[in-house]
Every structure is written in C-alpha cells, then in structure tokens.
Amino acid sequence: MGITKTEHFTTTQNELAILAKAMGHPARIAIIEYLLKTESCICGDIVNELPLAQPTVSQHLKELKNAGLIKGNIEGNAICYCLNEEGFTKLKGFFETITSYLTTKECC
C-alpha cells in the first residue's frame, strides 16, 4: 500500500477529506438521513431502519463518529446518536465555496 503523504496538505484539506470519506457509503448516507428525521436514536433504532446486521451498522456509526459527523451519548446501556453540527458546518463551508465559484465562473 502506498503512502498517502497527508502531511503535504493543509489541516482543512485533510479534515474535509476525512468527512467526505465518511460519507462515501450509501449506508452512512441512510444513517444521516435517519438522524435528520429523528432528534436522536439508539443503534437498535437504526438497525431496524436499514437492511444491515447490527455489527455492520455499528461499524458505520463508528466511522461517522470518528469523522466528527455524529455524536453519541451513553444512556443506560444504549448509545443515543445525533448529528454533530461542527462536522456539517465544515462541509457546508466547503460546498458554499464551490457553489459560489460555479455561479460566478464560466467553464471552458
């Protein structure tokens, strides 16, 4: 496996890449969409919504949490998940920059 050389990129570029990679699976998009519909939920609720086994859902939740897109709070013997505003604010800023560029520039 090759070296990624992430140290050659800015902190912001590396953070955005981690966020984008975390969203790069349809199951994770489905989890985010589910969390948008509900204020918070436990892992079991998400498992009931997706056609995936509980360990698979847990792995996707872990990836989203490690990237900073969701947060989880322990409530009893369950974990309650919700969206992490900070991660989505970074993505929003990046996509607003792209959108602004596209509305003011013409492609060749």
Side-chain angles (χ1 to χ4, degrees):
M1 183 181 294
I3 298 172
T4 60
K5 298 188 179 186
T6 56
E7 70 274 2
H8 295 289
F9 300 96
T10 68
T11 300
T12 301
Q13 289 168 334
N14 281 302
E15 287 174 354
L16 286 168
I18 289 167
L19 293 168
K21 183 177 178 183
M23 292 187 62
H25 193 285
R28 296 182 196 147
I29 298 295
I31 290 169
I32 291 168
E33 289 175 339
Y34 180 73
L35 291 173
L36 285 168
K37 292 189 299 185
T38 59
E39 301 234 351
S40 62
C41 66
I42 60 171
C43 182
D45 295 341
I46 298 170
V47 170
N48 294 335
E49 290 291 315
L50 299 177
L52 302 171
Q54 187 276 324
T56 304
V57 172
S58 291
Q59 184 62 38
H60 287 300
L61 289 167
K62 179 182 175 186
E63 292 295 325
L64 289 168
K65 187 174 180 187
N66 287 344
L69 292 172
I70 64 172
K71 297 186 271 188
N73 299 315
I74 298 173
E75 294 184 6
N77 56 353
I79 300 177
C80 184
Y81 291 98
C82 63
L83 297 177
N84 184 353
E85 185 177 339
E86 185 179 320
F88 286 99
T89 298
K90 290 177 184 177
L91 284 174
K92 180 182 175 190
F94 179 65
F95 286 112
E96 283 176 344
T97 300
I98 293 170
T99 302
S100 175
Y101 173 82
L102 292 174
T103 58
T104 60
K105 301 289 182 188
E106 288 188 32
C107 186
C108 48

